[in-house]
PDB file of all heavy atoms in Angstrom:
ATOM      1  N   ASP D 197      -7.294  -1.690  15.536  1.00 97.00           N
ATOM      2  CA  ASP D 197      -8.680  -1.804  15.994  1.00 97.00           C
ATOM      3  C   ASP D 197      -9.520  -2.615  14.917  1.00 97.00           C
ATOM      4  O   ASP D 197     -10.346  -3.525  15.187  1.00 97.00           O
ATOM      5  CB  ASP D 197      -9.318  -0.473  16.272  1.00 97.00           C
ATOM      6  CG  ASP D 197      -8.767   0.177  17.529  1.00 97.00           C
ATOM      7  OD1 ASP D 197      -8.011  -0.522  18.255  1.00 97.00           O
ATOM      8  OD2 ASP D 197      -9.062   1.366  17.776  1.00 97.00           O
ATOM      9  N   LEU D 198      -9.274  -2.127  13.659  1.00 97.00           N
ATOM     10  CA  LEU D 198     -10.122  -2.776  12.542  1.00 97.00           C
ATOM     11  C   LEU D 198      -9.612  -4.249  12.334  1.00 97.00           C
ATOM     12  O   LEU D 198     -10.508  -5.211  12.056  1.00 97.00           O
ATOM     13  CB  LEU D 198      -9.926  -2.039  11.240  1.00 97.00           C
ATOM     14  CG  LEU D 198     -10.830  -2.483  10.125  1.00 97.00           C
ATOM     15  CD1 LEU D 198     -12.306  -2.428  10.500  1.00 97.00           C
ATOM     16  CD2 LEU D 198     -10.654  -1.661   8.833  1.00 97.00           C
ATOM     17  N   ALA D 199      -8.264  -4.486  12.509  1.00 97.00           N
ATOM     18  CA  ALA D 199      -7.739  -5.889  12.396  1.00 97.00           C
ATOM     19  C   ALA D 199      -8.397  -6.699  13.512  1.00 97.00           C
ATOM     20  O   ALA D 199      -8.791  -7.933  13.238  1.00 97.00           O
ATOM     21  CB  ALA D 199      -6.290  -5.927  12.476  1.00 97.00           C
ATOM     22  N   ALA D 200      -8.565  -6.241  14.666  1.00 97.00           N
ATOM     23  CA  ALA D 200      -9.114  -7.043  15.772  1.00 97.00           C
ATOM     24  C   ALA D 200     -10.657  -7.222  15.500  1.00 97.00           C
ATOM     25  O   ALA D 200     -11.163  -8.305  15.820  1.00 97.00           O
ATOM     26  CB  ALA D 200      -8.986  -6.245  17.092  1.00 97.00           C
ATOM     27  N   ALA D 201     -11.302  -6.284  14.909  1.00 97.00           N
ATOM     28  CA  ALA D 201     -12.701  -6.419  14.614  1.00 97.00           C
ATOM     29  C   ALA D 201     -13.026  -7.378  13.520  1.00 97.00           C
ATOM     30  O   ALA D 201     -14.143  -7.955  13.434  1.00 97.00           O
ATOM     31  CB  ALA D 201     -13.323  -5.043  14.358  1.00 97.00           C
ATOM     32  N   THR D 202     -12.165  -7.480  12.532  1.00 97.00           N
ATOM     33  CA  THR D 202     -12.369  -8.278  11.286  1.00 97.00           C
ATOM     34  C   THR D 202     -11.630  -9.623  11.273  1.00 97.00           C
ATOM     35  O   THR D 202     -11.972 -10.480  10.510  1.00 97.00           O
ATOM     36  CB  THR D 202     -12.057  -7.541   9.980  1.00 97.00           C
ATOM     37  OG1 THR D 202     -10.661  -7.154  10.064  1.00 97.00           O
ATOM     38  CG2 THR D 202     -12.856  -6.198   9.939  1.00 97.00           C
ATOM     39  N   GLY D 203     -10.518  -9.709  12.064  1.00 96.00           N
ATOM     40  CA  GLY D 203      -9.642 -10.845  11.951  1.00 96.00           C
ATOM     41  C   GLY D 203      -8.831 -10.916  10.685  1.00 96.00           C
ATOM     42  O   GLY D 203      -8.270 -12.016  10.366  1.00 96.00           O
ATOM     43  N   LEU D 204      -8.678  -9.793   9.978  1.00 96.00           N
ATOM     44  CA  LEU D 204      -7.957  -9.737   8.777  1.00 96.00           C
ATOM     45  C   LEU D 204      -6.744  -8.762   8.918  1.00 96.00           C
ATOM     46  O   LEU D 204      -6.836  -7.881   9.688  1.00 96.00           O
ATOM     47  CB  LEU D 204      -8.780  -9.251   7.596  1.00 96.00           C
ATOM     48  CG  LEU D 204      -9.876 -10.200   7.009  1.00 96.00           C
ATOM     49  CD1 LEU D 204     -10.790  -9.475   6.080  1.00 96.00           C
ATOM     50  CD2 LEU D 204      -9.268 -11.309   6.312  1.00 96.00           C
ATOM     51  N   PRO D 205      -5.645  -8.998   8.195  1.00 95.00           N
ATOM     52  CA  PRO D 205      -4.577  -8.057   8.216  1.00 95.00           C
ATOM     53  C   PRO D 205      -4.967  -6.767   7.707  1.00 95.00           C
ATOM     54  O   PRO D 205      -5.851  -6.729   6.663  1.00 95.00           O
ATOM     55  CB  PRO D 205      -3.460  -8.732   7.404  1.00 95.00           C
ATOM     56  CG  PRO D 205      -3.899 -10.143   7.248  1.00 95.00           C
ATOM     57  CD  PRO D 205      -5.333 -10.185   7.400  1.00 95.00           C
ATOM     58  N   VAL D 206      -4.520  -5.658   8.261  1.00 97.00           N
ATOM     59  CA  VAL D 206      -5.050  -4.345   7.807  1.00 97.00           C
ATOM     60  C   VAL D 206      -3.754  -3.444   7.530  1.00 97.00           C
ATOM     61  O   VAL D 206      -2.862  -3.477   8.270  1.00 97.00           O
ATOM     62  CB  VAL D 206      -5.866  -3.649   8.927  1.00 97.00           C
ATOM     63  CG1 VAL D 206      -6.291  -2.228   8.512  1.00 97.00           C
ATOM     64  CG2 VAL D 206      -7.184  -4.479   9.082  1.00 97.00           C
ATOM     65  N   THR D 207      -3.810  -2.746   6.429  1.00 95.00           N
ATOM     66  CA  THR D 207      -2.800  -1.854   6.010  1.00 95.00           C
ATOM     67  C   THR D 207      -3.394  -0.397   6.020  1.00 95.00           C
ATOM     68  O   THR D 207      -4.572  -0.198   5.491  1.00 95.00           O
ATOM     69  CB  THR D 207      -2.211  -2.145   4.579  1.00 95.00           C
ATOM     70  OG1 THR D 207      -1.703  -3.432   4.553  1.00 95.00           O
ATOM     71  CG2 THR D 207      -1.195  -1.129   4.153  1.00 95.00           C
ATOM     72  N   LEU D 208      -2.686   0.543   6.642  1.00 96.00           N
ATOM     73  CA  LEU D 208      -3.108   1.940   6.711  1.00 96.00           C
ATOM     74  C   LEU D 208      -2.182   2.763   5.953  1.00 96.00           C
ATOM     75  O   LEU D 208      -0.998   2.698   6.122  1.00 96.00           O
ATOM     76  CB  LEU D 208      -3.218   2.428   8.164  1.00 96.00           C
ATOM     77  CG  LEU D 208      -3.489   3.906   8.378  1.00 96.00           C
ATOM     78  CD1 LEU D 208      -4.916   4.237   7.910  1.00 96.00           C
ATOM     79  CD2 LEU D 208      -3.195   4.315   9.861  1.00 96.00           C
ATOM     80  N   ASP D 209      -2.725   3.644   5.092  1.00 94.00           N
ATOM     81  CA  ASP D 209      -1.916   4.594   4.318  1.00 94.00           C
ATOM     82  C   ASP D 209      -2.691   5.881   4.048  1.00 94.00           C
ATOM     83  O   ASP D 209      -3.907   5.917   4.279  1.00 94.00           O
ATOM     84  CB  ASP D 209      -1.502   4.040   2.920  1.00 94.00           C
ATOM     85  CG  ASP D 209       0.009   4.284   2.749  1.00 94.00           C
ATOM     86  OD1 ASP D 209       0.485   5.379   3.088  1.00 94.00           O
ATOM     87  OD2 ASP D 209       0.646   3.428   2.077  1.00 94.00           O
ATOM     88  N   LYS D 210      -2.016   6.954   3.736  1.00 93.00           N
ATOM     89  CA  LYS D 210      -2.644   8.247   3.466  1.00 93.00           C
ATOM     90  C   LYS D 210      -3.438   8.158   2.218  1.00 93.00           C
ATOM     91  O   LYS D 210      -3.151   7.486   1.234  1.00 93.00           O
ATOM     92  CB  LYS D 210      -1.626   9.316   3.329  1.00 93.00           C
ATOM     93  CG  LYS D 210      -2.045  10.626   3.379  1.00 93.00           C
ATOM     94  CD  LYS D 210      -0.801  11.661   3.364  1.00 93.00           C
ATOM     95  CE  LYS D 210      -1.210  13.030   3.323  1.00 93.00           C
ATOM     96  NZ  LYS D 210      -0.061  13.944   3.156  1.00 93.00           N
ATOM     97  N   ASP D 211      -4.573   8.846   2.130  1.00 92.00           N
ATOM     98  CA  ASP D 211      -5.510   8.731   0.999  1.00 92.00           C
ATOM     99  C   ASP D 211      -4.907   9.114  -0.294  1.00 92.00           C
ATOM    100  O   ASP D 211      -5.056   8.341  -1.247  1.00 92.00           O
ATOM    101  CB  ASP D 211      -6.825   9.554   1.248  1.00 92.00           C
ATOM    102  CG  ASP D 211      -6.487  11.031   1.639  1.00 92.00           C
ATOM    103  OD1 ASP D 211      -5.328  11.410   1.597  1.00 92.00           O
ATOM    104  OD2 ASP D 211      -7.410  11.753   2.140  1.00 92.00           O
ATOM    105  N   VAL D 212      -4.064  10.080  -0.384  1.00 91.00           N
ATOM    106  CA  VAL D 212      -3.473  10.464  -1.686  1.00 91.00           C
ATOM    107  C   VAL D 212      -2.480   9.473  -2.070  1.00 91.00           C
ATOM    108  O   VAL D 212      -2.297   9.281  -3.333  1.00 91.00           O
ATOM    109  CB  VAL D 212      -2.895  11.958  -1.611  1.00 91.00           C
ATOM    110  CG1 VAL D 212      -1.702  12.036  -0.685  1.00 91.00           C
ATOM    111  CG2 VAL D 212      -2.628  12.406  -3.029  1.00 91.00           C
ATOM    112  N   ILE D 213      -1.745   8.843  -1.206  1.00 92.00           N
ATOM    113  CA  ILE D 213      -0.743   7.886  -1.458  1.00 92.00           C
ATOM    114  C   ILE D 213      -1.455   6.606  -2.003  1.00 92.00           C
ATOM    115  O   ILE D 213      -1.135   6.008  -2.959  1.00 92.00           O
ATOM    116  CB  ILE D 213       0.075   7.576  -0.257  1.00 92.00           C
ATOM    117  CG1 ILE D 213       0.976   8.778  -0.015  1.00 92.00           C
ATOM    118  CG2 ILE D 213       0.951   6.262  -0.540  1.00 92.00           C
ATOM    119  CD1 ILE D 213       1.893   8.708   1.237  1.00 92.00           C
ATOM    120  N   ALA D 214      -2.562   6.328  -1.389  1.00 93.00           N
ATOM    121  CA  ALA D 214      -3.417   5.124  -1.845  1.00 93.00           C
ATOM    122  C   ALA D 214      -3.934   5.364  -3.248  1.00 93.00           C
ATOM    123  O   ALA D 214      -3.860   4.458  -4.060  1.00 93.00           O
ATOM    124  CB  ALA D 214      -4.565   4.927  -0.860  1.00 93.00           C
ATOM    125  N   ALA D 215      -4.358   6.611  -3.581  1.00 92.00           N
ATOM    126  CA  ALA D 215      -4.823   6.913  -4.827  1.00 92.00           C
ATOM    127  C   ALA D 215      -3.736   6.789  -5.934  1.00 92.00           C
ATOM    128  O   ALA D 215      -3.956   6.298  -7.033  1.00 92.00           O
ATOM    129  CB  ALA D 215      -5.479   8.310  -4.824  1.00 92.00           C
ATOM    130  N   ALA D 216      -2.459   7.173  -5.551  1.00 91.00           N
ATOM    131  CA  ALA D 216      -1.324   7.007  -6.433  1.00 91.00           C
ATOM    132  C   ALA D 216      -1.131   5.551  -6.813  1.00 91.00           C
ATOM    133  O   ALA D 216      -0.846   5.158  -7.889  1.00 91.00           O
ATOM    134  CB  ALA D 216      -0.094   7.688  -5.977  1.00 91.00           C
ATOM    135  N   VAL D 217      -1.146   4.676  -5.739  1.00 88.00           N
ATOM    136  CA  VAL D 217      -1.070   3.319  -5.926  1.00 88.00           C
ATOM    137  C   VAL D 217      -2.079   2.763  -6.863  1.00 88.00           C
ATOM    138  O   VAL D 217      -1.871   1.857  -7.672  1.00 88.00           O
ATOM    139  CB  VAL D 217      -1.048   2.566  -4.519  1.00 88.00           C
ATOM    140  CG1 VAL D 217      -1.127   1.110  -4.644  1.00 88.00           C
ATOM    141  CG2 VAL D 217       0.135   3.010  -3.692  1.00 88.00           C
ATOM    142  N   ALA D 218      -3.333   3.193  -6.697  1.00 90.00           N
ATOM    143  CA  ALA D 218      -4.406   2.712  -7.612  1.00 90.00           C
ATOM    144  C   ALA D 218      -4.119   3.124  -9.073  1.00 90.00           C
ATOM    145  O   ALA D 218      -4.401   2.231  -9.948  1.00 90.00           O
ATOM    146  CB  ALA D 218      -5.753   3.381  -7.161  1.00 90.00           C
ATOM    147  N   GLU D 219      -3.631   4.260  -9.324  1.00 89.00           N
ATOM    148  CA  GLU D 219      -3.370   4.617 -10.652  1.00 89.00           C
ATOM    149  C   GLU D 219      -2.208   3.688 -11.217  1.00 89.00           C
ATOM    150  O   GLU D 219      -2.185   3.403 -12.388  1.00 89.00           O
ATOM    151  CB  GLU D 219      -2.967   6.113 -10.722  1.00 89.00           C
ATOM    152  CG  GLU D 219      -4.180   7.025 -10.509  1.00 89.00           C
ATOM    153  CD  GLU D 219      -5.294   6.877 -11.576  1.00 89.00           C
ATOM    154  OE1 GLU D 219      -5.010   6.467 -12.627  1.00 89.00           O
ATOM    155  OE2 GLU D 219      -6.411   7.173 -11.162  1.00 89.00           O
ATOM    156  N   ARG D 220      -1.285   3.443 -10.322  1.00 83.00           N
ATOM    157  CA  ARG D 220      -0.153   2.618 -10.795  1.00 83.00           C
ATOM    158  C   ARG D 220      -0.639   1.228 -11.047  1.00 83.00           C
ATOM    159  O   ARG D 220      -0.160   0.544 -12.035  1.00 83.00           O
ATOM    160  CB  ARG D 220       0.935   2.641  -9.730  1.00 83.00           C
ATOM    161  CG  ARG D 220       2.114   1.732  -9.956  1.00 83.00           C
ATOM    162  CD  ARG D 220       3.128   1.890  -8.832  1.00 83.00           C
ATOM    163  NE  ARG D 220       4.262   0.908  -8.894  1.00 83.00           N
ATOM    164  CZ  ARG D 220       4.251  -0.334  -8.542  1.00 83.00           C
ATOM    165  NH1 ARG D 220       3.155  -0.782  -7.896  1.00 83.00           N
ATOM    166  NH2 ARG D 220       5.253  -1.176  -8.703  1.00 83.00           N
ATOM    167  N   TRP D 221      -1.518   0.694 -10.327  1.00 78.00           N
ATOM    168  CA  TRP D 221      -1.987  -0.721 -10.437  1.00 78.00           C
ATOM    169  C   TRP D 221      -2.976  -0.816 -11.528  1.00 78.00           C
ATOM    170  O   TRP D 221      -2.902  -1.796 -12.277  1.00 78.00           O
ATOM    171  CB  TRP D 221      -2.588  -1.153  -9.080  1.00 78.00           C
ATOM    172  CG  TRP D 221      -1.665  -2.083  -8.353  1.00 78.00           C
ATOM    173  CD1 TRP D 221      -0.717  -1.711  -7.442  1.00 78.00           C
ATOM    174  CD2 TRP D 221      -1.682  -3.463  -8.314  1.00 78.00           C
ATOM    175  NE1 TRP D 221      -0.083  -2.712  -6.919  1.00 78.00           N
ATOM    176  CE2 TRP D 221      -0.669  -3.829  -7.393  1.00 78.00           C
ATOM    177  CE3 TRP D 221      -2.414  -4.469  -8.895  1.00 78.00           C
ATOM    178  CZ2 TRP D 221      -0.295  -5.181  -7.284  1.00 78.00           C
ATOM    179  CZ3 TRP D 221      -2.124  -5.875  -8.709  1.00 78.00           C
ATOM    180  CH2 TRP D 221      -1.072  -6.178  -7.871  1.00 78.00           C
ATOM    181  N   ALA D 222      -4.026   0.083 -11.571  1.00 77.00           N
ATOM    182  CA  ALA D 222      -5.210  -0.220 -12.402  1.00 77.00           C
ATOM    183  C   ALA D 222      -5.769   0.988 -13.177  1.00 77.00           C
ATOM    184  O   ALA D 222      -6.815   0.935 -13.767  1.00 77.00           O
ATOM    185  CB  ALA D 222      -6.335  -0.798 -11.495  1.00 77.00           C
ATOM    186  N   GLY D 223      -4.962   2.119 -13.126  1.00 79.00           N
ATOM    187  CA  GLY D 223      -5.507   3.292 -13.676  1.00 79.00           C
ATOM    188  C   GLY D 223      -4.835   3.838 -14.869  1.00 79.00           C
ATOM    189  O   GLY D 223      -4.093   3.095 -15.612  1.00 79.00           O
ATOM    190  N   ALA D 224      -4.793   5.161 -15.014  1.00 76.00           N
ATOM    191  CA  ALA D 224      -4.240   5.850 -16.200  1.00 76.00           C
ATOM    192  C   ALA D 224      -2.728   5.881 -16.193  1.00 76.00           C
ATOM    193  O   ALA D 224      -2.166   6.202 -17.259  1.00 76.00           O
ATOM    194  CB  ALA D 224      -4.729   7.281 -16.227  1.00 76.00           C
ATOM    195  N   ALA D 225      -2.081   5.579 -15.123  1.00 77.00           N
ATOM    196  CA  ALA D 225      -0.635   5.643 -15.051  1.00 77.00           C
ATOM    197  C   ALA D 225       0.039   4.290 -15.230  1.00 77.00           C
ATOM    198  O   ALA D 225       1.240   4.172 -14.812  1.00 77.00           O
ATOM    199  CB  ALA D 225      -0.196   6.263 -13.657  1.00 77.00           C
ATOM    200  N   GLY D 226      -0.579   3.281 -15.659  1.00 70.00           N
ATOM    201  CA  GLY D 226       0.042   2.004 -15.833  1.00 70.00           C
ATOM    202  C   GLY D 226       1.199   1.973 -16.596  1.00 70.00           C
ATOM    203  O   GLY D 226       2.091   1.078 -16.395  1.00 70.00           O
ATOM    204  N   ASP D 227       1.408   2.862 -17.590  1.00 78.00           N
ATOM    205  CA  ASP D 227       2.685   2.912 -18.439  1.00 78.00           C
ATOM    206  C   ASP D 227       3.571   4.034 -18.090  1.00 78.00           C
ATOM    207  O   ASP D 227       4.585   4.203 -18.827  1.00 78.00           O
ATOM    208  CB  ASP D 227       2.177   3.051 -19.908  1.00 78.00           C
ATOM    209  CG  ASP D 227       1.323   1.877 -20.455  1.00 78.00           C
ATOM    210  OD1 ASP D 227       1.613   0.814 -20.003  1.00 78.00           O
ATOM    211  OD2 ASP D 227       0.411   2.144 -21.212  1.00 78.00           O
ATOM    212  N   SER D 228       3.338   4.733 -17.011  1.00 87.00           N
ATOM    213  CA  SER D 228       4.242   5.728 -16.558  1.00 87.00           C
ATOM    214  C   SER D 228       5.025   5.390 -15.243  1.00 87.00           C
ATOM    215  O   SER D 228       4.380   4.926 -14.266  1.00 87.00           O
ATOM    216  CB  SER D 228       3.432   7.018 -16.311  1.00 87.00           C
ATOM    217  OG  SER D 228       4.335   8.048 -15.827  1.00 87.00           O
ATOM    218  N   SER D 229       6.228   5.642 -15.244  1.00 87.00           N
ATOM    219  CA  SER D 229       7.133   5.332 -14.098  1.00 87.00           C
ATOM    220  C   SER D 229       7.225   6.687 -13.231  1.00 87.00           C
ATOM    221  O   SER D 229       7.710   6.495 -12.102  1.00 87.00           O
ATOM    222  CB  SER D 229       8.474   4.840 -14.486  1.00 87.00           C
ATOM    223  OG  SER D 229       8.416   3.656 -15.143  1.00 87.00           O
ATOM    224  N   ASN D 230       6.932   7.744 -13.753  1.00 93.00           N
ATOM    225  CA  ASN D 230       7.156   9.128 -13.093  1.00 93.00           C
ATOM    226  C   ASN D 230       5.831   9.906 -13.222  1.00 93.00           C
ATOM    227  O   ASN D 230       5.611  10.475 -14.394  1.00 93.00           O
ATOM    228  CB  ASN D 230       8.262   9.793 -13.589  1.00 93.00           C
ATOM    229  CG  ASN D 230       9.605   9.156 -13.282  1.00 93.00           C
ATOM    230  OD1 ASN D 230      10.189   9.247 -12.252  1.00 93.00           O
ATOM    231  ND2 ASN D 230      10.106   8.302 -14.247  1.00 93.00           N
ATOM    232  N   PHE D 231       5.027   9.921 -12.271  1.00 95.00           N
ATOM    233  CA  PHE D 231       3.811  10.691 -12.395  1.00 95.00           C
ATOM    234  C   PHE D 231       3.364  11.318 -11.068  1.00 95.00           C
ATOM    235  O   PHE D 231       3.943  10.946  -9.987  1.00 95.00           O
ATOM    236  CB  PHE D 231       2.621   9.847 -12.955  1.00 95.00           C
ATOM    237  CG  PHE D 231       2.095   8.788 -12.022  1.00 95.00           C
ATOM    238  CD1 PHE D 231       0.990   9.034 -11.267  1.00 95.00           C
ATOM    239  CD2 PHE D 231       2.601   7.517 -11.972  1.00 95.00           C
ATOM    240  CE1 PHE D 231       0.531   8.042 -10.403  1.00 95.00           C
ATOM    241  CE2 PHE D 231       2.182   6.564 -11.171  1.00 95.00           C
ATOM    242  CZ  PHE D 231       1.009   6.841 -10.392  1.00 95.00           C
ATOM    243  N   VAL D 232       2.527  12.228 -11.149  1.00 94.00           N
ATOM    244  CA  VAL D 232       1.947  13.029  -9.994  1.00 94.00           C
ATOM    245  C   VAL D 232       0.460  12.752  -9.977  1.00 94.00           C
ATOM    246  O   VAL D 232      -0.243  12.852 -10.973  1.00 94.00           O
ATOM    247  CB  VAL D 232       2.218  14.521 -10.099  1.00 94.00           C
ATOM    248  CG1 VAL D 232       1.495  15.299  -9.037  1.00 94.00           C
ATOM    249  CG2 VAL D 232       3.708  14.779 -10.092  1.00 94.00           C
ATOM    250  N   PHE D 233      -0.054  12.410  -8.736  1.00 94.00           N
ATOM    251  CA  PHE D 233      -1.509  12.275  -8.674  1.00 94.00           C
ATOM    252  C   PHE D 233      -2.016  13.376  -7.736  1.00 94.00           C
ATOM    253  O   PHE D 233      -1.420  13.595  -6.588  1.00 94.00           O
ATOM    254  CB  PHE D 233      -1.879  10.936  -7.944  1.00 94.00           C
ATOM    255  CG  PHE D 233      -3.353  10.783  -7.906  1.00 94.00           C
ATOM    256  CD1 PHE D 233      -4.074  10.103  -8.876  1.00 94.00           C
ATOM    257  CD2 PHE D 233      -4.069  11.254  -6.745  1.00 94.00           C
ATOM    258  CE1 PHE D 233      -5.491  10.038  -8.770  1.00 94.00           C
ATOM    259  CE2 PHE D 233      -5.440  11.180  -6.610  1.00 94.00           C
ATOM    260  CZ  PHE D 233      -6.148  10.527  -7.759  1.00 94.00           C
ATOM    261  N   VAL D 234      -3.031  14.164  -8.217  1.00 93.00           N
ATOM    262  CA  VAL D 234      -3.537  15.215  -7.340  1.00 93.00           C
ATOM    263  C   VAL D 234      -4.917  14.843  -6.941  1.00 93.00           C
ATOM    264  O   VAL D 234      -5.814  14.461  -7.728  1.00 93.00           O
ATOM    265  CB  VAL D 234      -3.738  16.502  -8.338  1.00 93.00           C
ATOM    266  CG1 VAL D 234      -4.311  17.628  -7.513  1.00 93.00           C
ATOM    267  CG2 VAL D 234      -2.308  16.891  -8.928  1.00 93.00           C
TER     268      VAL D 234
END
């Protein structure tokens, strides 16, 4: 529905999984290969 409304590709994921991705990309976990995000 959002892809149709914006004309852009859309990716959906669970909020906590997205937050873990953020830490891996740009946060405190950049140097860790094994971590837990709460």
